[in-house]
Amino acid sequence: MLSFDANNKKRRRRAAFGAAALFVMGALFGAYILMEFPLGSDPPGNQGALEGPEAEQTPEAAVGAEAARETTIAGDAQVEWLARFTACEHELKLDPAGKVTGMTRKELEAAYPEYAIEMFDSKHARLVKSVEGCCSEHFMLKLGENSLIITKMDARTLKPKEVMRIIVDTGVLDEQARTALEGGIVFDSLATINAFLEGVGE
């Protein structure tokens, strides 16, 4: 029969052995974890969450970046507003039709569809409106009903204004003169119109 001291020693040895076994198991488990997941690496299944912003750029982001680089009109840009007349090809400077600062070319075209954009960059833009007829420096002679009508362009409204109507027998006009007058003939002065009419009447 074992004495009390012998039993006590035996229990202490078992406890010490159990503690040592637990320590060894913990060490082995730690070594296993380090082998499976080395320091500096991410556990499986968590790599996407820790990855940096290296994701592929979406089409929407690419479009946004392209739009950011699109040329716009600066606040100090020189902007020309012009009217160009089809009959004489002269140009008239117009008052600005509206604000253009910060607009892209497409935005400018959409805002002012009656104008052709002949020049566009951040510092200079030219917008041209085509106007039927001749400018206010000229007179237009056209064939009316039993009359010849003289008009002159109103520089403010950009519309022809009747200056004079001459009642004539249009039947005496030859075919060439009639065809020209139907489309309108541009003259620099009333005197040149008078000289033309005298020549037609001869």
Side-chain angles (χ1 to χ4, degrees):
M1 182 175 178
L2 294 174
S3 67
F4 175 78
D5 289 337
N7 287 333
N8 195 25
K9 287 180 181 179
K10 192 173 184 179
R11 283 196 296 271
R12 284 199 298 269
R13 283 196 299 269
R14 287 177 180 174
F17 180 79
L22 286 173
F23 176 79
V24 171
M25 289 177 62
L28 289 173
F29 182 77
Y32 171 77
I33 292 296
L34 287 175
M35 289 175 60
E36 287 294 318
F37 312 112
L39 291 176
S41 67
D42 297 322
N46 198 33
Q47 292 181 351
L50 297 179
E51 284 182 353
E54 297 292 331
E56 184 178 348
Q57 192 178 35
T58 63
E60 292 80 4
V63 170
E66 183 65 27
R69 292 193 295 269
E70 197 169 354
T71 301
T72 59
I73 299 177
D76 60 348
Q78 180 185 356
V79 182
E80 297 179 87
W81 299 83
L82 302 173
R84 183 175 296 140
F85 299 89
T86 59
C88 63
E89 290 296 317
H90 286 174
E91 295 177 348
L92 175 67
K93 185 177 179 180
L94 302 176
D95 292 331
K99 294 181 180 180
V100 299
T101 301
M103 285 188 175
T104 64
R105 186 185 186 101
K106 289 183 179 179
E107 290 171 341
L108 200 61
E109 290 172 344
Y112 305 103
E114 68 275 23
Y115 287 85
I117 301 174
E118 293 190 345
M119 185 179 296
F120 182 90
D121 60 42
S122 62
K123 294 295 185 180
H124 193 186
R126 179 184 297 150
L127 295 91
V128 180
K129 176 188 284 189
S130 180
V131 181
E132 292 291 330
C134 55
C135 72
S136 57
E137 296 180 6
H138 306 286
F139 294 89
M140 175 80 75
L141 181 66
K142 292 191 75 170
L143 184 65
E145 187 177 350
N146 296 321
S147 64
L148 294 174
I149 303 170
I150 301 173
T151 60
K152 190 173 185 179
M153 186 65 66
D154 187 323
R156 185 178 58 84
T157 63
L158 298 182
K159 296 186 183 218
K161 182 170 60 177
E162 186 174 317
V163 175
M164 188 183 302
R165 186 180 292 260
I166 305 169
I167 305 301
V168 294
D169 181 6
T170 57
V172 301
L173 298 172
D174 61 40
E175 190 62 31
Q176 184 177 358
R178 177 180 289 276
T179 301
L181 287 167
E182 284 176 350
I185 306 175
V186 178
F187 293 91
D188 293 332
S189 65
L190 293 174
T192 53
I193 291 178
N194 187 58
F196 170 79
L197 293 176
E198 288 178 352
V200 170
E202 291 178 355

